[in-house]
Each structure stands twice: as structure tokens, then as C-alpha cells.
Amino acid sequence: MEGVKPVKSGKVKVNDVNLYYELYGQGDPLVLVAGTGISCAPWRVFQVPEFSKTYQVLIYDHRGLGRSDKPDMAYSTRLFAKDCAGLMDVLDIKQAHIMGHSMGGRVAQWIALDYPEKVRSLVLSGSGSGKYSEKLEDYPRGVPYDAALEMIEKGYENYQRDHWGPGFMFTDEFMKEHPEVVRKFQELIVEEVPPLNCYLRHVVARQCHETTGIVHQIKAPTLVIVGSHDAHEGGTGSHVESSKVLAEKIPNAELVLVEGGKHGYLREMPEKGHPPILDFLRRH
């Protein structure tokens, strides 16, 4: 499943931390920004082999994850955006397509807002802007109760493994038909599970993200894409509903629902998820 080798990789000093990165392919730059507490490893399975055929693909570990430094300090999606912009500077990437999944989409919003000159186009995958609706009576700004309870009851490592199981990431049918693929992602996550303190700081950064009132300022061409079944009411609400709000508020944004997909649609059904993304990138 992983066969493409990076043309360049290593650690570089960005702001106050050393960030680990990998560069693949040639062409216009495409930066892939990962979600909450997830290293760059899952991108290598399907996205890097496909996207690096056409683009120079940059993947990296956020601070607190993988092979990057893990300072015990307050994290925020805006700080992660500053890290990404700084990494682009160090690697002499003037402008790129920016694609973020889940929390990575929240980071990508800040990149587009704070560093608009760096963003050629924006792909927000299974993401949201914060408290996207007043109907959300409880929008936790710390570690969500359900997540804390599950972590305590199952233990941290089991929580991480199960997070990539049925219900949230994958459909039940896919779990039954392709257990080896699910196991592959579970192993990738557990192999590079971050320290608990860093993971919790990532969760808090995601939950404290709030751009609902300012995403209309985003100028970059934007694709909002989400699995049509990514409606699990977790700590950030339904990703289907939050994606619809993003598409409504960002000027001229396009909205694509990937039929049958859950939060892990990029891993379960890349054959459905990749074409609309690649079509959008080609047009911009």
C-alpha cells in the first residue's frame, strides 16, 4: 500500500520547534494537513501515491506528534497554521494548494485567513468552523466528556485504536470486507501515538477553534468535501452540517458530498474521494 519514496525528508527548525516533513513528486505544491493527534503517516497510504503523480506533495507532523518536537504548552489551530506557513517558507514553497482533513481543515482555514498569499486553493475535508449553529447547545471548548470517559474506561492506546474502527471512521460493511485495510490504519496510528499530554492539547486546540464569524473573509477558491454519512454527533457536531455551513459562508465555495462516506472516506473510498478533489485542483 505504501510504495512511493520521498524525494526529500527530515527535520527543520520552524518558529520554536523542529518539524518533521516529507516531500513527494514534482509539480505545483500541494500541502496535506492532518487531523487531531494524527501524524503524517496515514497520508502515505492512498493520498501520497495518487496526488504525487501530478503535484509536489508535502506532508508533515504537527508539533506534538510523530517525529516533530513535542513541547508541553498550549496549542491552537492558529499556531499550527503558523507552523505550516513557516515550514513552507523554510522549504521555499511560495504558494500551494492547501488541503486539510478534520482538524487539519481548521488549520487550513487559518492559513487562508492569516497567509492568503500562500494559498492557491483550499480543500476543506470533513471539517468545520467551530460552533457553526446556535442549535448546538453544548459545544465543549475543552476535552469533550464522551472522549474523556472513553479514554479513561478503555485506556489511551485502546481508545486510539478504536477511534479508527467502525462507527466513526469506517462503515460497518467496509470493516467486514476489508479488515486488513482498517488494521493497517490502526497500526499506523498506534505505532506513532503521541504522548497523552500532547494528544489532549491537540483535542483542546480543535475544540477551541472558532472561525464561524470570519470564514467569509477567505479569498482562496475553496472546495468543501465531506462523506455523506459523516454525521456522528461527536465533540464538534455533525461534519455534514458543519461542512454545509462552511460552503455557505465562504464566498463561491463548492460543496461535494461523497456518497456513503464517513469521516474516514479518504481511507475507505479514495476512488470516490480523489476525483472531485483532483478535478478542483486542476481547475485552480
Side-chain angles (χ1 to χ4, degrees), residues 78-263:
R78 200 171 194 176
L79 175 62
F80 295 150
K82 183 180 178 182
D83 285 345
C84 184
L87 179 60
M88 289 174 65
D89 286 341
V90 171
L91 298 177
D92 198 30
I93 297 174
K94 305 298 185 188
Q95 191 180 60
H97 301 286
I98 307 290
M99 174 175 163
H101 179 67
S102 198
M103 186 197 75
R106 294 165 171 84
V107 176
Q109 291 165 42
W110 277 121
I111 298 171
L113 288 163
D114 286 346
Y115 311 95
E117 72 284 354
K118 295 184 179 298
V119 183
R120 182 167 178 175
S121 75
L122 192 63
V123 180
L124 304 178
S125 168
S127 195
S129 59
K131 190 174 182 181
Y132 57 87
S133 170
E134 291 304 317
K135 295 177 182 177
L136 289 171
E137 295 179 6
D138 178 32
Y139 193 93
R141 294 300 185 178
V143 180
Y145 170 81
D146 290 346
L149 186 65
E150 188 179 352
M151 253 181 273
I152 293 167
E153 289 181 343
K154 290 183 175 180
Y156 178 46
E157 190 170 300
N158 287 333
Y159 167 84
Q160 287 281 3
R161 182 182 289 108
D162 291 352
H163 200 57
W164 283 75
F168 180 54
M169 287 287 182
F170 300 103
T171 62
D172 292 341
E173 294 78 13
F174 188 79
M175 289 285 294
K176 293 174 183 175
E177 294 172 9
H178 301 282
E180 75 287 351
V181 177
V182 176
R183 196 178 310 114
K184 171 72 171 179
F185 284 111
Q186 289 175 323
E187 289 170 356
L188 283 175
I189 296 303
V190 173
E191 279 172 12
E192 295 197 359
V193 65
L196 177 59
N197 66 315
C198 291
Y199 180 74
L200 293 175
R201 290 191 180 280
H202 266 251
V203 172
V204 172
R206 180 195 69 209
Q207 294 300 135
C208 289
H209 175 88
E210 187 56 62
T211 53
T212 305
I214 57 174
V215 288
H216 66 276
Q217 298 174 16
I218 291 175
K219 298 292 193 291
T222 301
L223 170 67
V224 180
I225 183 168
V226 62
S228 66
H229 293 171
D230 191 3
H232 174 73
E233 293 286 348
T236 54
S238 163
H239 286 111
V240 172
E241 296 307 313
S242 62
S243 293
K244 288 178 179 178
V245 172
L246 281 173
E248 289 170 5
K249 289 182 175 292
I250 297 174
N252 303 311
E254 301 175 30
L255 176 65
V256 171
L257 271 66
V258 179
E259 185 56 39
K262 290 207 168 187
H263 199 55

